[in-house]
Amino acid sequence: MNYQGELLYTGKTKQVFTTENPEQVIIHYKDDALAYNGIKRAQITNKGVINNKISANIYQRLEKLGFNTHFIERINDREQLCKRKEHFIQLEFIVRNIAAGSMAKRLGLKVGTSLPTPVYELCYKNDELHDPLINEHHAVALGLSSYEELAEIQAIVVHLNAELQKIFNSIGVTLVDAKFEFGRTAADGSLVLADEISPDTTRLWDTATLESLDKDRFRRDLGKISEAYMEILKRLEENF
Ligand code: 5GP
């Protein structure tokens, strides 16, 4: 492990450390897997290494496409250097292209139903409340964001979904849905895409076989979890 400063934060799957530069942090990816609000827990060998590499690969592509992100560089197998956030927006921005997960359950839709237009959802990031689905008015009333900021993020999410769909289509993978998080940097308060983008935060189906290559393998006890994550990494690296 590299020199790590003070532990700033321990999350469910990652730890964040200070660096000598007050505007940067090191994010360390652990092997922990959690689902159903922490009721289901396990260690998945090498998941942290694989997700660190997947997320870094995707963020490098997004940076090249002009997205403002927190990512600076991957520094080793489990760690990446990122811009420090002075403010995390306590919201999850979800986009769905195909009905699955909580949307399929809530609306009685058959898993796999193609959505004629992407569906955008907001969730209040709050473990005690189980990240409830809210709308933009709730977000503003709760002081989590402003209408202007939400509109700015919405435009970014539309663009992100389009570009990520292209990236995954090019490796024979369908982006079913994804969750994004945003923050403002300590350096200048600019809005950046934050958190990982990996099989933990997206649903990814093999386009040919419709096999899940994501965290649903853990949620639904489908087995071969790290193999599926590794398959995503392999295809991303082969097509970089
Ligand atoms: P759903 O609402 O169907 O459970 O999730 C929709 C998408 O957002 C899935 O790709 C899921 O992995 C992601 N997602 C939603 N909430 C969370 C969360 O709290 N943590 C993580 N890692 N992903 C989430």
Side-chain angles (χ1 to χ4, degrees):
M1 223 182 270
N2 269 11
Y3 159 77
Q4 290 172 333
E6 177 198 337
L7 177 64
L8 270 178
Y9 166 80
T10 295
K12 286 175 259 185
T13 59
K14 293 186 286 293
Q15 289 175 310
V16 181
F17 295 89
T18 58
T19 65
E20 281 139 4
N21 182 337
E23 294 175 358
Q24 297 180 351
V25 288
I26 287 174
I27 300 185
H28 177 95
Y29 282 67
K30 303 188 285 179
D31 284 345
D32 303 64
L34 286 95
Y36 308 118
N37 222 49
I39 292 170
K40 184 169 180 169
R41 289 165 184 265
Q43 290 271 315
I44 296 167
T45 307
N46 270 341
K47 179 173 81 79
V49 174
I50 302 170
N51 274 356
N52 182 30
K53 291 183 178 175
I54 291 175
S55 196
N57 182 301
I58 292 172
Y59 267 88
Q60 280 167 35
R61 295 170 190 250
L62 294 176
E63 280 280 334
K64 264 198 210 152
L65 289 165
F67 288 94
N68 288 323
T69 82
H70 74 156
F71 179 79
I72 299 171
E73 62 174 336
R74 182 167 72 79
I75 49 181
N76 59 42
D77 269 5
R78 286 193 184 268
E79 289 162 348
Q80 45 184 262
L81 188 66
C82 289
K83 295 173 197 160
R84 185 168 180 170
K85 270 79 66 189
E86 57 152 31
H87 173 62
F88 252 109
I89 300 168
Q90 293 298 307
L91 292 168
E92 295 180 343
F93 297 83
I94 292 172
V95 61
R96 301 177 186 274
N97 301 305
I98 293 175
S102 68
M103 181 185 175
K105 196 170 170 199
R106 192 172 45 249
L107 301 180
L109 294 171
K110 188 168 178 283
V111 172
T113 307
S114 280
L115 301 168
T117 176
V119 170
Y120 303 96
E121 293 176 355
L122 270 185
C123 290
Y124 177 22
K125 207 171 146 54
N126 182 317
D127 284 342
E128 272 176 37
L129 300 176
H130 306 345
D131 300 343
L133 182 66
I134 59 171
N135 67 30
E136 58 180 6
H137 306 291
H138 293 103
V140 174
L142 289 172
L144 304 172
S145 189
S146 64
Y147 287 111
E148 294 73 23
E149 187 177 73
L150 290 172
E152 191 181 347
I153 294 175
Q154 171 65 17
I156 298 169
V157 171
V158 170
H159 186 195
L160 264 175
N161 184 43
E163 294 299 340
L164 287 173
Q165 280 185 298
K166 278 192 229 163
I167 292 169
F168 284 113
N169 281 342
S170 75
I171 60 165
V173 169
T174 301
L175 179 68
V176 173
D177 55 33
K179 185 243 341 171
F180 304 112
E181 296 185 22
F182 291 83
R184 293 202 174 265
T185 61
D188 61 5
S190 60
L191 185 65
V192 285
L193 177 67
D195 202 26
E196 70 190 274
I197 298 179
S198 74
D200 271 5
T201 63
T202 55
R203 283 195 174 87
L204 302 171
W205 292 356
D206 181 281
T207 307
T209 65
L210 301 183
E211 191 188 4
S212 288
L213 299 173
D214 57 54
K215 192 172 158 185
D216 273 351
R217 300 202 73 82
F218 172 63
R219 294 186 186 102
R220 293 163 42 208
D221 292 324
L222 299 175
K224 297 201 171 154
I225 306 165
S226 50
E227 288 85 344
Y229 284 39
M230 207 43 230
E231 179 64 24
I232 295 291
L233 176 60
K234 184 175 115 277
R235 293 193 203 180
L236 283 169
E237 286 183 340
E238 279 169 4
N239 284 273
F240 201 33

